[in-house]
Amino acid sequence: MLYFDHCASTPPYDEVVQTMMEVMKSQFANPSSLHRAGTDADKLIERSRALLAEQLRTTRGNWVFTSGGTESNNLAIKGAARQYAGRGKHLITTQIEHASVYESFAQLEQEGYRVTYLPVSESGHIRLEQLEEALTDETILVSVMHTNNEIGSIQPIEEIGRLLKRYPKTLFHVDAVQSIGKLPVRIEDWGIDLLSASAHKLRGPKGVGFLYVREGVALQPMLTGGTQEFGYRAGTQNVPGIVASAKALRLSIGAMEQRERRMKQLKHKLIQHMDELPELKRNGAEPSASHILHFSYPGMKPEVIIHMLEQHGIMASTKSACSSKDDKPSRVLLAIGASRERAASGVRISFGDEHEERDIDALGAALRHVVKQLKPLERRLT
């Protein structure tokens, strides 16, 4: 089987699996304990934290370990909004954020905050002038994802950070779950105050997330109890997962430039295959991530396409994994102006380190078979 669902999760490095096993066996003590075994475990966490800072070139903030990207997003958004509610209760995000961001803002709206959801173009990008128009003296947080998890559109984070420097009371949060380890991200150079990432998206273990918190930024914690993670996130830390995640990040960053070149070649080759299939409509446009390609087959249910591809040895997905069992049209595709028919038939292909050109050729051949089989049935499966 060929696995083309790297946006949902990635196969861990062998070295990561080995590291996690070794730490689970040797460092089982609670890192908050005062005895030697506890302090040894705590030292591993702090080394991992330092490795994150080194690899991602951050010197003016701290890295908080969480349970994943969803918790990192929730803590950043709700923690900042509630902490700084005295400054104002206006928040800004976009219409195409991941559900963990989108639903966090929906919850804050129920608490009395006012949220502006910026629209995007047909290519899936916000317009800086619309962001600037939306900013007010009451705006305390702007949250914009770097790489969209469905269509791969890359937002102008550097330009947004430059704009927000004129608004010192407004914090800038970036969901970089689909970017860290895959694309260059210059956190402090881009003026980012809060940034979320997830280990299992970069060939690390599930259950570990990262949250960068710039020095001087305070967050109201969601999990209270102990003083772990600078008081932002109570609970015994997942020592094996944290150490293995730091290793995964180091390996991913080290291979990033070479991977990016390969992904561009693979994506270009897949687009060539799709150009021969006019029934398939590509969603989104450049600038976009080289490891993501999204298309629709209007009139067809995406789960039918997914299961047919699987019969040909291909594993792909419909939209984000956390929303894949929801049969509603994609909120992201509707936001870029797609019809409901097109928005209800999206399929996402996301590449990984193991893929070669022959795998893309196999995927292209499978897509041709699927289209050939479904062509007579167009519009009957909706």
Side-chain angles (χ1 to χ4, degrees):
M1 296 291 289
L2 295 175
Y3 181 78
F4 283 103
D5 197 15
H6 280 249
C7 280
S9 195
T10 56
Y13 291 104
D14 291 340
E15 301 95 318
V16 166
V17 174
Q18 185 64 34
T19 295
M20 194 160 182
M21 290 174 58
E22 291 174 357
V23 175
M24 286 183 73
K25 289 180 180 179
S26 63
Q27 300 291 344
F28 50 83
N30 191 316
S32 295
S33 296
L34 296 180
H35 49 66
R36 180 176 177 179
T39 57
D40 285 347
D42 185 58
K43 287 178 182 177
L44 284 179
I45 292 175
E46 294 311 313
R47 278 186 213 153
S48 300
R49 209 186 306 277
L51 181 60
L52 258 69
E54 176 189 343
Q55 292 295 312
L56 295 169
R57 301 180 183 180
T58 55
T59 59
R60 299 190 297 274
N62 291 314
W63 285 95
V64 178
F65 292 113
T66 69
S67 65
T70 289
E71 186 188 341
S72 293
N73 282 333
N74 274 258
L75 175 57
I77 294 164
K78 297 174 191 174
R82 293 166 180 165
Q83 179 70 27
Y84 295 101
R87 293 181 180 177
K89 301 193 78 173
H90 178 234
L91 315 168
I92 299 176
T93 189
T94 82
Q95 294 179 353
I96 63 169
E97 298 297 307
H98 184 270
S100 62
V101 170
Y102 199 81
E103 295 301 327
S104 290
F105 280 102
Q107 184 177 347
L108 289 170
E109 282 186 294
Q110 295 175 355
E111 297 177 15
Y113 291 83
R114 183 169 64 88
V115 181
T116 298
Y117 296 91
L118 296 174
V120 293
S121 64
E122 290 183 2
S123 64
H125 301 93
I126 68 164
R127 296 178 176 87
L128 284 174
E129 59 268 23
Q130 290 183 321
L131 169 59
E132 188 166 14
E133 289 171 2
L135 288 163
T136 74
D137 292 338
E138 300 290 310
T139 306
I140 56 173
L141 177 67
V142 172
S143 179
V144 179
M145 72 192 325
H146 186 213
T147 300
N148 183 264
N149 54 296
E150 285 190 41
I151 61 175
S153 53
I154 296 176
Q155 301 298 344
I157 299 300
E158 183 176 7
E159 290 81 356
I160 295 171
R162 192 179 303 127
L163 168 64
L164 293 180
K165 284 183 178 179
R166 306 206 302 264
Y167 299 83
K169 293 183 179 180
T170 302
L171 296 177
F172 184 23
H173 168 249
V174 174
D175 173 357
V177 167
Q178 296 294 347
S179 301
I180 294 294
K182 300 176 182 178
L183 298 170
V185 179
R186 296 190 288 277
I187 298 171
E188 294 180 348
D189 289 346
W190 293 354
I192 297 170
D193 300 300
L194 299 157
L195 180 135
S196 307
S198 178
H200 78 105
K201 307 294 189 180
L202 48 86
R203 302 193 65 185
K206 295 178 181 64
V208 180
F210 317 128
L211 176 62
Y212 170 79
V213 182
R214 182 179 58 77
E215 186 178 5
V217 173
L219 298 175
Q220 189 177 115
M222 294 196 305
L223 299 178
T224 55
T227 59
Q228 297 93 339
E229 297 304 305
F230 312 102
Y232 292 136
R233 204 260 184 191
T236 302
Q237 294 103 323
N238 175 3
V239 181
I242 287 170
V243 176
S245 297
K247 172 160 279 192
L249 176 70
R250 179 175 62 79
L251 293 172
S252 292
I253 294 288
M256 189 169 63
E257 290 185 13
Q258 182 180 2
R259 180 189 303 112
E260 174 71 357
R261 288 193 296 270
R262 289 186 60 252
M263 295 299 105
K264 287 181 178 179
Q265 294 171 352
L266 296 179
K267 185 173 182 178
H268 177 70
K269 191 170 187 64
L270 181 55
I271 290 173
Q272 289 179 320
H273 281 289
M274 290 185 58
D275 286 343
E276 300 174 3
L277 299 168
E279 295 83 0
L280 306 182
K281 311 297 182 184
R282 185 183 167 197
N283 297 310
E286 301 303 326
S288 66
S290 57
H291 63 284
I292 303 173
L293 191 144
H294 195 282
F295 67 87
S296 294
Y297 190 163
M300 295 298 163
K301 289 185 176 180
E303 59 268 28
V304 172
I305 300 172
I306 295 300
H307 292 315
M308 292 182 71
L309 284 173
E310 193 164 7
Q311 292 174 4
H312 291 277
I314 303 292
M315 288 182 280
S317 63
T318 53
K319 37 191 172 181
S320 63
C322 59
S323 303
S324 61
K325 295 181 180 178
D326 181 357
D327 61 0
K328 296 178 181 178
S330 164
R331 170 170 52 82
V332 172
L333 295 187
L334 291 175
I336 66 173
S339 66
R340 291 187 67 84
E341 182 182 54
R342 182 165 175 170
S345 64
V347 173
R348 181 183 67 188
I349 303 294
S350 46
F351 312 117
D353 289 339
E354 74 271 25
H355 295 132
E356 300 177 2
E357 289 196 6
R358 64 185 179 187
D359 301 320
I360 303 301
D361 289 335
L363 172 57
L367 287 171
R368 283 191 290 274
H369 283 293
V370 169
V371 170
K372 184 177 180 180
Q373 289 176 278
L374 291 180
K375 183 68 174 174
L377 304 176
E378 283 185 8
R379 301 186 181 279
R380 295 183 189 176
L381 297 177
T382 56

